[in-house]
């Protein structure tokens, strides 16, 4: 096992682009190799050792035997883990754009917040973010129509707008709240949100599943009420409790499924005359 530690020396006002520094490419590198490497910054390149004190310990026969650890303020370090297929990356600090973008395997853990496009177009592996993410988590890139196709993203905090846009596979789990248009244009996969959702999840979705355990502020008109279901099984996983099930988006003849926790969305049950004494409380909506 090889451990490569990047201890930050100084920051840059222009973001460092780290897409070349992934286990696939540097598993055989020594400290001398890093001393020769120049990292892209804007239209120029600068020695990476100007910004990080790099320590290499152990040996690796392939990327799966590499652990990379970044320590410091990584707010101006982007493309961390971009296109990686194996190995492990740990970021001890907030990170910039595109962490885990197009990754196909391995494990990235961000002990902090992530900027936009975290896990963009990833096809495999596990991306964990202990803080919040900004917009377009697990989404497609600008002008593209295919987002995340496989793997798993876990956000332990809140997620910004259009989380899971154009999702075509894999799973996104948000343990906090989620902003508008989660799962817009999705065709497959699952988005599970533990907290509250601002409004309009699943817009123009054709297939796939969205499970919301918290309160939904507003639902799009393109979703058809299917009824109250108990312990629904979604992609092989059983969600205990009672859920309001919708199908949509009918504007695109969509067959996606949206499940809302019945207790957290008690007032929606009254629209269908199905409220009963069992539901005695409602979570107050928090404006995200």
């Amino acid at each position: 096992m090889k451990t490569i530690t990047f201890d930050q020396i100084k920051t840059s006002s222009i973001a460092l682009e780290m897409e070349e520094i992934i286990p696939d490419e540097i598993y055989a590198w020594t400290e001398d190799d890093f001393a020769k490497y120049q990292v892209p910054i804007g239209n120029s390149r600068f020695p990476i050792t100007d910004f990080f004190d790099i320590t290499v310990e152990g040996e690796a026969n392939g990327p799966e035997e590499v652990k990379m650890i970044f320590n410091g303020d990584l707010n101006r370090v982007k493309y961390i883990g971009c296109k990686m297929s194996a190995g492990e990356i740990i970021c001890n600090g907030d990170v910039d754009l595109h962490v885990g973008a197009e990754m196909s395997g391995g494990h990235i853990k961000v002990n902090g917040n992530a900027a936009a496009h975290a896990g963009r177009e990833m096809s495999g592996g596990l991306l964990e973010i202990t803080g919040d993410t900004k917009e377009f988590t697990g989404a497609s890139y600008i002008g593209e129509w295919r987002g995340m196709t496989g793997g798993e993203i876990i956000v332990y905090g809140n997620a910004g707008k259009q989380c899971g846009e154009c999702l075509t596979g894999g799973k996104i789990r948000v343990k906090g709240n989620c902003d508008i248009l989660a799962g817009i244009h999705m065709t497959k996969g699952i988005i599970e949100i533990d907290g509250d959702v601002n409004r309009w999840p699943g817009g123009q979705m054709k297939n796939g599943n969205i499970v919301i355990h918290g309160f939904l502020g507003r639902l799009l008109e393109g979703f058809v009420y299917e009824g109250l279901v108990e312990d629904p099984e979604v992609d092989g996983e059983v969600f205990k409790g009672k859920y309001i099930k919708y199908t949509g988006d009918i504007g695109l003849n969509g067959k996606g499924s949206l499940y809302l926790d019945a207790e957290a969305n008690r007032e929606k049950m009254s629209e269908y005359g199905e409220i009963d004494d069992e539901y005695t409380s409602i979570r107050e909506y928090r404006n995200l």
Side-chain angles (χ1 to χ4, degrees):
M1 187 71 184
K2 173 178 281 189
T3 301
I4 305 172
T5 304
F6 298 77
D7 291 311
Q8 193 172 53
I9 298 172
K10 68 176 182 179
T11 60
S12 171
S13 59
I14 303 174
L16 282 67
E17 300 180 13
M18 300 293 286
E19 59 184 321
E20 297 171 349
I21 304 298
I22 56 174
D24 306 67
E25 301 294 335
I26 53 88
Y27 67 87
W29 283 23
T30 65
E31 291 181 4
D32 289 339
D33 293 317
F34 283 107
K36 300 172 186 176
Y37 177 74
Q38 294 191 329
V39 61
I41 303 177
N43 296 325
S44 303
R45 284 179 174 262
F46 296 88
I48 193 171
T49 51
D50 287 353
F51 303 94
F52 293 99
D53 183 12
I54 303 171
T55 304
V56 178
E57 299 176 296
E59 300 290 335
N61 295 315
E64 67 279 357
E65 297 179 4
V66 173
K67 176 189 283 189
M68 298 168 55
I69 302 173
F70 290 89
N71 298 316
D73 178 6
L74 308 172
N75 273 303
R76 301 304 291 152
V77 181
K78 62 183 182 180
Y79 295 112
I80 295 175
C82 179
K83 298 183 180 180
M84 69 181 283
S85 68
E88 182 179 4
I89 297 178
I90 299 173
C91 301
N92 294 314
D94 297 344
V95 299
D96 205 347
L97 299 164
H98 303 292
V99 62
E102 299 181 72
M103 69 182 290
S104 59
H107 179 203
I108 300 176
K109 185 173 185 181
V110 177
N111 292 311
N113 303 316
H117 295 291
R120 167 181 61 81
E121 299 173 313
M122 67 182 284
S123 60
L126 172 62
L127 171 60
E128 293 185 276
I129 299 165
T130 64
D132 301 332
T133 61
K134 291 189 178 179
E135 57 269 24
F136 307 120
T137 300
S140 65
Y141 196 46
I142 299 169
E144 298 292 336
W145 284 93
R146 177 176 292 182
M148 178 180 175
T149 60
E152 183 176 6
I153 298 175
I154 303 175
V155 180
Y156 291 88
N158 303 318
K161 66 181 181 181
Q162 293 180 235
C163 175
E165 179 215 24
C166 295
L167 186 73
T168 59
K171 180 176 183 179
I172 299 176
R173 174 80 180 273
V174 179
K175 295 197 172 186
N177 302 321
C178 199
D179 208 341
I180 64 171
L181 294 170
I184 184 173
H185 303 305
M186 71 182 287
T187 58
K188 197 177 179 182
I190 179 170
I191 300 174
E192 182 182 1
I193 302 165
D194 288 1
D196 300 334
V197 175
N198 196 330
R199 55 191 182 275
W200 307 324
Q204 297 186 332
M205 72 184 294
K206 293 182 179 179
N207 217 320
N209 297 279
I210 300 176
V211 181
I212 299 173
H213 302 297
F215 179 80
L216 173 59
R218 185 173 178 182
L219 181 67
L220 285 165
E221 294 179 357
F223 282 85
V224 177
Y225 171 70
E226 298 290 349
L228 188 65
V229 296
E230 189 166 359
D231 300 338
E233 183 176 342
V234 182
D235 280 1
E237 182 177 356
V238 175
F239 293 92
K240 292 292 186 179
K242 292 186 177 182
Y243 290 81
I244 312 167
K245 182 180 179 181
Y246 297 89
T247 300
D249 186 336
I250 62 171
L252 279 75
N253 296 316
K255 297 178 173 61
S257 296
L258 174 64
Y259 297 88
L260 303 182
D261 182 276
E263 172 64 16
N265 295 275
R266 179 174 177 267
E267 88 293 351
K268 291 181 177 59
M269 297 301 298
S270 64
E271 298 175 13
Y272 311 107
E274 298 198 18
I275 197 165
D276 58 41
D277 293 338
E278 180 181 348
Y279 298 101
T280 58
S281 66
I282 179 172
R283 178 180 298 184
E284 181 180 356
Y285 174 59
R286 296 189 293 274
N287 186 21
L288 299 179

